[in-house]
Amino acid sequence: EALASIAAVSHLEIKTRTSDSEHGWSLTIEPLEEHVLEPCQTDIGTQVIVKNMFFNVPARKKFLKSDLVEFRTISETMYRAALSHPECRFTFYDGDTLVFDVQQSDLLGRIEALYGKEVSQGLLPLHHETLEVVITGFVGLPHLAKQSRAGQHFFMNSRPIISRSLSHAVFQPFEHLIEKN
């Protein structure tokens, strides 16, 4: 449903190739045009390329915020996707500018690729298991604390979630170890 909605308001291209295939397939979709499906040379995996979002819906386009605000929202979404699936390669461009290109790795390797060695070295591993639930991840040492919760990421079954209760539960043990604000 999301891809169909995006295809209705942008120029969308999807390229995909499986490991057992000599060539891939490219699907190009433009609103009110016949879609084009053709063989192509591409890397193994799937690329989704979205260009000119809302070019054909001026009423919607005028409700977009500044380019910077929209970029931050898209960037946050890409970071969450990359963190929730470290077993996949993610390449993220803003126009012609490469924002990140992260290879397959484990979660700690993915964190280092996205946030740098200083952050990855300042993390404590977390693992707790009961009959009902398994909790794994990393918690940053106090020197990595930020003024906002922007650096906190929670996932359930590899899906990003936002939870004030979880944010508070993570913050509470650190409350007296970090400066206010």
Side-chain angles (χ1 to χ4, degrees), residues 6-91:
I6 292 169
V9 297
S10 68
H11 296 111
L12 177 68
E13 182 177 13
I14 301 173
K15 293 180 179 181
T16 190
R17 183 177 139 215
T18 59
S19 59
D20 60 348
S21 181
E22 290 183 25
H23 66 80
W25 290 93
S26 172
L27 174 64
T28 305
I29 303 173
E30 294 189 22
L32 304 176
E33 300 282 328
E34 193 68 33
H35 68 271
V36 178
L37 179 64
E38 57 191 3
C40 70
Q41 291 300 318
T42 188
D43 294 332
I44 295 169
T46 301
Q47 300 173 24
V48 178
I49 303 155
V50 180
K51 294 181 181 176
N52 303 320
M53 186 72 100
F54 301 121
F55 79 98
N56 62 340
V57 189
R60 177 65 178 108
K61 191 171 188 172
K62 87 176 175 186
F63 286 102
L64 290 175
K65 308 223 181 336
S66 71
D67 287 351
L68 180 60
V69 171
E70 295 299 335
F71 171 78
R72 284 183 183 154
T73 302
I74 293 166
S75 180
E76 185 177 306
T77 301
M78 290 300 297
Y79 273 78
R80 282 189 179 136
L83 284 169
S84 65
H85 293 284
E87 74 281 1
C88 296
R89 177 183 176 190
F90 280 83
T91 307

Side-chain angles (χ1 to χ4, degrees), residues 83-117:
L83 284 169
S84 65
H85 293 284
E87 74 281 1
C88 296
R89 177 183 176 190
F90 280 83
T91 307
F92 174 36
Y93 283 91
D94 177 26
D96 292 333
T97 304
L98 177 65
V99 178
F100 66 72
D101 181 0
V102 290
Q103 303 297 319
Q104 296 173 325
S105 67
D106 60 7
L107 181 56
L108 186 59
R110 177 58 53 90
I111 292 169
E112 183 174 323
L114 290 172
Y115 296 105
K117 196 170 208 121

Side-chain angles (χ1 to χ4, degrees), residues 170-181:
V170 169
F171 172 74
Q172 200 170 12
F174 289 90
E175 192 171 16
H176 301 293
L177 298 174
I178 57 178
E179 291 183 35
K180 220 171 185 130
N181 298 325

